Amino acid sequence: MRIILLGPPGSGKGTQASRLCQELNISHISTGDILRDEAKAGSNLGKEAKSFMDKGELVPDRLVTEIIRERLSQKEPNDFILDGYPRNIAQAKALDEILEQNNKPMDMAIYLDTSEATIIQRLSGRRVCQKCGFNFHIINMPPKKDMLCDFCGSKLFKRKDDEADTIKKRLAVYLKETSSLIDYYTRQNKLTKISADRQASLVYDELLDLFDYLKVQR
Ligand code: AMP
């Protein structure tokens, strides 16, 4: 199963992809997570990427596409969900080429359709575990103990790019760069739209049904 999850920041791509990948035992490839890990580790790639990420801008295509090319050119993973890549038409074209070269055709692009009000509510309340990376939300999914991760006990923090001004910037970047991918995958006859303004568990159930359907079609 090879899926692209599309949607604005705050549409729940990361949350849904990690649950689905755990359930279905497939790989979760998140360029945002990979870049944040690189930034934490202080690598050259991480340092270069961080300056763009903190401002809510896209990291240059050459850096992210190299990460994806490297991951998808190995035998494994064969089944995966791409979360956060592609982010513009140039990346989508590069991805088409990488998948073709590696004989790993994409099954579907799923667009998590989300209103601006939901996006702002989700991102401004998001808190992330600094150690294991698990996402909480101060209202929708509060931790059991104040500002501590339920799973590893580490402190939760607000991502720098979840500050109000940066959220606005990320939304503008999404509209300018990423939203055109909806048309791109519609033209390829690969797009399925799901309403993601609902509770995460309802979206998850619909995604699982869709995956069952895809398995039967394969
Ligand atoms: P995310 O966790 O997907 O919201 O990504 C966080 C940040 O990482 C984005 O705002 C970008 O700065 C960067 N990023 C993640 N994926 C990409 C990508 N495919 N292309 C460019 N920048 C990306």
Side-chain angles (χ1 to χ4, degrees):
M1 190 86 59
R2 290 180 284 270
I3 303 287
I4 298 170
L5 267 191
L6 289 176
S11 56
K13 297 187 298 295
T15 306
Q16 298 295 347
S18 48
R19 269 190 81 184
L20 287 164
C21 288
Q22 226 168 27
E23 172 73 25
L24 304 167
N25 200 19
I26 61 178
S27 292
H28 176 193
I29 304 178
S30 155
T31 40
D33 285 349
I34 296 168
L35 294 169
R36 275 185 291 278
D37 285 347
E38 292 284 340
K40 220 177 356 180
S43 69
N44 287 339
L45 164 64
K47 280 185 208 150
E48 190 173 350
K50 194 170 182 309
S51 58
F52 295 95
M53 295 166 80
D54 285 350
K55 285 186 274 177
E57 290 171 7
L58 291 187
V59 171
D61 291 346
R62 68 185 158 81
L63 297 179
V64 265
T65 295
E66 227 18 72
I67 294 173
I68 292 296
R69 189 185 300 283
E70 217 261 322
R71 294 265 161 139
L72 300 186
S73 300
Q74 325 275 343
K75 194 157 173 272
E76 295 292 337
N78 196 32
D79 293 303
F80 49 81
I81 296 180
L82 278 179
D83 155 19
Y85 188 95
R87 243 8 193 244
N88 58 27
I89 298 287
Q91 292 182 13
K93 287 185 175 160
L95 178 63
D96 284 347
E97 183 209 304
I98 294 167
L99 293 172
E100 197 181 321
Q101 276 169 359
N102 292 282
N103 198 19
K104 292 178 178 174
M106 193 52 67
D107 291 291
M108 188 179 269
I110 302 173
Y111 167 49
L112 299 180
D113 189 12
T114 318
S115 68
E116 192 171 322
T118 301
I119 294 169
I120 291 169
Q121 192 267 359
R122 282 193 190 144
L123 293 182
S124 54
R126 174 160 68 180
R127 299 292 181 273
V128 184
C129 172
Q130 61 185 4
K131 193 156 173 228
C132 71
F134 197 88
N135 284 350
F136 294 85
H137 188 279
I138 51 174
I139 293 163
N140 305 350
M141 202 181 28
K144 292 194 186 96
K145 276 198 202 142
D146 194 29
M147 293 306 280
L148 294 179
C149 177
D150 290 357
F151 304 100
C152 70
S154 300
K155 250 185 115 182
L156 304 183
F157 72 105
K158 185 170 185 169
R159 271 170 50 174
K160 205 166 170 189
D161 59 353
D162 282 344
E163 297 295 344
D165 282 351
T166 320
I167 292 176
K168 269 194 218 144
K169 172 84 196 205
R170 288 162 70 202
L171 276 177
V173 169
Y174 172 79
L175 288 175
K176 183 162 175 266
E177 301 267 348
T178 314
S179 56
S180 52
L181 294 176
I182 297 166
D183 276 350
Y184 184 85
Y185 288 110
T186 302
R187 269 186 261 117
Q188 289 192 1
N189 229 356
K190 290 261 164 79
L191 194 90
T192 296
K193 184 161 134 181
I194 285 192
S195 163
D197 266 343
R198 300 165 298 158
Q199 218 181 301
S201 60
L202 299 177
V203 178
Y204 178 71
D205 289 344
E206 192 170 339
L207 286 165
L208 269 187
D209 286 347
L210 190 57
F211 280 44
D212 279 344
Y213 164 80
L214 280 176
K215 267 191 231 154
V216 175
Q217 296 292 308
R218 264 185 150 204

